[in-house]
């Protein structure tokens, strides 16, 4: 059997899932810890032969697949040459219209502008990248290992190479004390990068923070130490509103395409921004009991 991928974007639900690496090499973001939580504590790299063997097996199961996704968190850590070798092989086997992967901004930054073009020539045509926040202080606090300028620069390289950019934003990452800085700086990076997609998620504090009931989000330590105050559900929706108010109107698809969002707006920024804002305003104007019911029903989940 081909090896199973642990995490993929919801938009890749129909894609072939091809695992080049396991887990996350960085594995330091305070808000994450997700791979260890899901049973992949260590990072490892698969061989090109192993991956090609998976591709051969997949070709018997779904020979006409048109989209594919490489995992896990940062498959470019396999190295440029093996990554491109696998991408070319995959494209020779399947009639692919789209090949995507997650990528850390710092890994792309290390590769450089010319190697990003090499990725495009090998057939990569969309990258899912965790911006999380455009606020330098927030990124530093959460040990994301990237700067706002780095994300903007890398997004420009990707676009120049013809690779679509899908940026992920985490509402709540600034906590209750820094949410406005978090959101306004995030909007600034998005306005500069003009990605093809912006995808919204909400900070997920898994575990109960007791330290005794199994795996829990590393951020609980900061919460107990008083260095991070979690955002309220209502504040999270206000963050979404502020983000939309602060964004320009490029041809970017904006989507709350994850179950853990309290309000699921989606649309093109250059066409649907006002409608999305109206939907958020309408939600915020609901009676408190109705909003509380939504917050309780959504809960936290991956
Ligand atoms: S957010 Fe991404 S880079 Fe950070 S630890 Fe989690 S998987 Fe790794």
């Amino acid at each position: 059997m081909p090896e199973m991928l642990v995490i993929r974007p919801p938009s890749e639900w129909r894609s072939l899932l091809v695992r080049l690496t396991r887990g996350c090499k960085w594995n330091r973001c305070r808000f994450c810890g997700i791979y260890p939580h899901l049973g992949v504590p260590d990072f490892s790299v698969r061989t090109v032969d192993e991956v090609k063997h998976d591709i051969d097996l997949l070709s018997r199961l779904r020979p006409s697949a048109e989209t594919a996704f490489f995992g896990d968190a940062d498959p470019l850590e396999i190295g440029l040459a093996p990554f491109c070798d696998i991408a070319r092989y995959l494209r020779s086997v399947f009639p692919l219209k789209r090949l995507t992967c997650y990528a850390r901004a710092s890994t792309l930054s290390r590769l450089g502008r010319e190697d990003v073009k090499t990725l495009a020539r090998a057939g990569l045509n969309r990258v899912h990248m965790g911006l999380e926040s455009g606020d330098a202080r927030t990124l530093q606090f959460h040990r994301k290992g990237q700067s706002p300028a780095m994300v903007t620069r890398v997004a420009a390289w990707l676009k120049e190479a013809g690779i679509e950019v899908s940026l992920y934003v985490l509402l709540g990452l600034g906590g209750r004390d820094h949410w406005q800085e978090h959101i306004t700086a995030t909007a600034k990076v998005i306005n500069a990068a003009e990605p093809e997609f912006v995808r919204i998620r909400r900070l997920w504090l898994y575990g109960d923070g007791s330290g005794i009931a199994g795996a829990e989000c590393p951020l609980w330590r900061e919460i107990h130490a008083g260095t991070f105050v979690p955002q309220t559900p209502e504040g999270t929706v206000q963050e979404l509103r502020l983000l939309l108010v602060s964004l320009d109107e490029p041809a970017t698809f904006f989507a709350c395409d994850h179950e853990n969002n309290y309000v699921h707006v989606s649309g093109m920024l250059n066409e649907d921004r006002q409608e999305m804002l109206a939907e958020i305003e309408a939600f915020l104007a609901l009676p408190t009991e109705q909003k509380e019911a939504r917050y309780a029903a959504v809960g936290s989940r991956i």
Side-chain angles (χ1 to χ4, degrees), residues 164-181:
E164 292 181 322
V165 178
S166 179
L167 292 184
Y168 288 75
V169 172
L170 255 188
L171 301 179
L173 208 59
R176 218 176 296 174
D177 299 332
H178 298 283
W179 72 272
Q180 277 148 325
E181 296 93 316

Side-chain angles (χ1 to χ4, degrees), residues 94-271:
F94 292 93
L96 287 188
K97 291 187 175 146
R98 192 177 84 211
L99 173 59
T100 73
C101 70
Y102 284 135
R104 297 195 70 233
S106 56
T107 307
L108 288 164
S109 180
R110 208 170 60 230
L111 282 178
R113 187 174 173 184
E114 291 309 311
D115 284 351
V116 167
K117 288 179 190 158
T118 305
L119 293 172
R121 282 195 295 273
L124 184 69
N125 52 359
R126 184 181 298 173
V127 161
H128 297 271
M129 191 160 54
L131 165 63
E132 327 297 5
S133 175
D135 177 41
R137 182 206 163 276
T138 301
L139 289 170
Q140 210 170 10
F141 174 80
H142 287 285
R143 298 194 303 217
K144 181 67 189 175
Q146 69 192 30
S147 69
M150 183 193 287
V151 177
T152 309
R153 187 170 61 246
V154 158
W157 293 345
L158 290 166
K159 287 178 64 125
E160 179 191 41
I163 298 175
E164 292 181 322
V165 178
S166 179
L167 292 184
Y168 288 75
V169 172
L170 255 188
L171 301 179
L173 208 59
R176 218 176 296 174
D177 299 332
H178 298 283
W179 72 272
Q180 277 148 325
E181 296 93 316
H182 162 48
I183 295 298
T184 50
T186 298
K188 210 168 144 194
V189 171
I190 294 169
N191 287 339
E194 296 193 358
E196 278 74 12
F197 304 89
V198 171
R199 302 183 188 278
I200 307 299
R201 275 94 183 93
R202 182 168 62 82
L203 176 62
W204 180 47
L205 291 168
Y206 55 93
D208 63 7
S210 67
I212 52 173
E216 56 184 33
C217 181
L219 195 54
W220 279 110
R221 281 195 291 274
E222 307 309 314
I223 295 168
H224 292 318
T227 52
F228 184 85
V229 183
Q231 178 59 287
T232 61
E234 186 94 351
T236 308
V237 181
Q238 284 165 353
E239 289 190 21
L240 180 62
R241 174 173 61 184
L242 179 61
L243 182 62
L244 267 172
V245 165
S246 310
L247 288 174
D248 296 337
E249 297 190 346
T252 293
F253 186 68
F254 182 98
C256 300
D257 59 345
H258 193 284
E259 280 299 301
N260 82 357
N261 283 287
Y262 293 126
V263 182
H264 289 261
V265 292
S266 68
M268 294 299 294
L269 285 177
N270 58 348
E271 292 170 7

Side-chain angles (χ1 to χ4, degrees), residues 42-61:
D42 301 317
F43 173 79
S44 57
V45 175
R46 303 185 68 222
T47 67
V48 171
D49 285 346
E50 280 172 336
V51 180
K52 286 184 176 175
H53 181 63
D54 282 1
I55 292 171
D56 292 341
L57 291 174
L58 286 168
S59 72
R60 286 183 224 149
L61 296 171

